[in-house]
Structure formats: C-alpha cells, structure tokens
Amino acid sequence: MAHRNRSLYPTGDTLMHSWYHESDENNKESTMAELQSGSIPLSEHDHDWFKVMTNMAERSIRANLGNVLSDFVASQKPAYIEKIQYEATKYGLEFDEVFQIYRTATSSKEAQAMREELIKQKI
C-alpha cells in the first residue's frame, strides 16, 4: 500500500519515497527512526521543570523527549518546506533532491558540496 503524507511536500498527492517510510520485513508495521543523541545538556532550572512536566504527564523521560521533538519538528516543518522549495527552484532542482541532500548530509558544508555536485550533473 502506498503511503501519502501531504504535509511533507508543497504540492498535494506526491507519493512518499521508500527512504521516508520504512516497513518491517513483512511490510505490516512501520518502524520508528531513532535519534541517537547521548545526553542533552540543560540548565538545572530546565531539567527540574522537564522532570516535573514529564511526571505530571505520566510519561517516561524518553517518551516525553520524543513528544517534545515531534512537536518541534511539526511546528518548524512549514518553514523548512518553503526553504527547500526556494532552494530547489533557485538551482533548478527537484524538492525531493534538495530534501535528500539535507537528510543525508552530516553538515551544512557537506550539503552545499552535494548540492553543487548535483547542479553540475544537471548542466
């Protein structure tokens, strides 16, 4: 079954690619990506408040961190869709190509080099 996510792309019915949605070997359940972050430094004040909020929400710290990060990504996504579309249009690239560059790059410098290489290939 094809998966669609209308909020990922600036235009409606674009199918999601396999690199965005992963399935188990039986193709029945989606797998969750894991962000390996180690420890996250917080001020004592923020640490105490996060523990209070986590306990009051009756969640584990790990679950609450996942929720906080998901909310942050959702709130920032429209601005980044606009930025990706602008960059794609400016350099004659496709939205998916620019998204893939930033998704796989390990730094902004590497992303810029990958973008320049892709532009050269298209000329």
Side-chain angles (χ1 to χ4, degrees), residues 41-102:
L42 294 173
S43 69
E44 281 187 56
H45 177 265
D46 289 344
H47 182 265
D48 289 346
W49 273 101
F50 189 77
K51 283 177 65 177
V52 167
M53 292 172 181
T54 297
N55 287 333
M56 290 187 78
E58 298 179 358
R59 293 187 184 127
S60 68
I61 289 177
R62 181 180 171 141
N64 208 28
L65 279 171
N67 189 52
V68 168
L69 285 172
S70 291
D71 288 349
F72 175 78
V73 169
S75 72
Q76 298 298 308
K77 194 172 170 182
Y80 281 89
I81 287 172
E82 185 177 324
K83 290 176 183 184
I84 290 169
Q85 188 59 58
Y86 174 81
E87 190 170 310
T89 301
K90 181 176 181 177
Y91 295 109
L93 303 172
E94 297 295 322
F95 181 94
D96 284 350
E97 292 172 323
V98 177
F99 182 89
Q100 183 69 359
I101 286 169
Y102 284 103

Side-chain angles (χ1 to χ4, degrees), residues 95-117:
F95 181 94
D96 284 350
E97 292 172 323
V98 177
F99 182 89
Q100 183 69 359
I101 286 169
Y102 284 103
R103 190 181 86 70
T104 59
T106 57
S107 68
S108 58
K109 187 174 183 177
E110 182 181 10
Q112 183 179 5
M114 291 168 70
R115 183 187 68 211
E116 288 172 5
E117 182 63 32

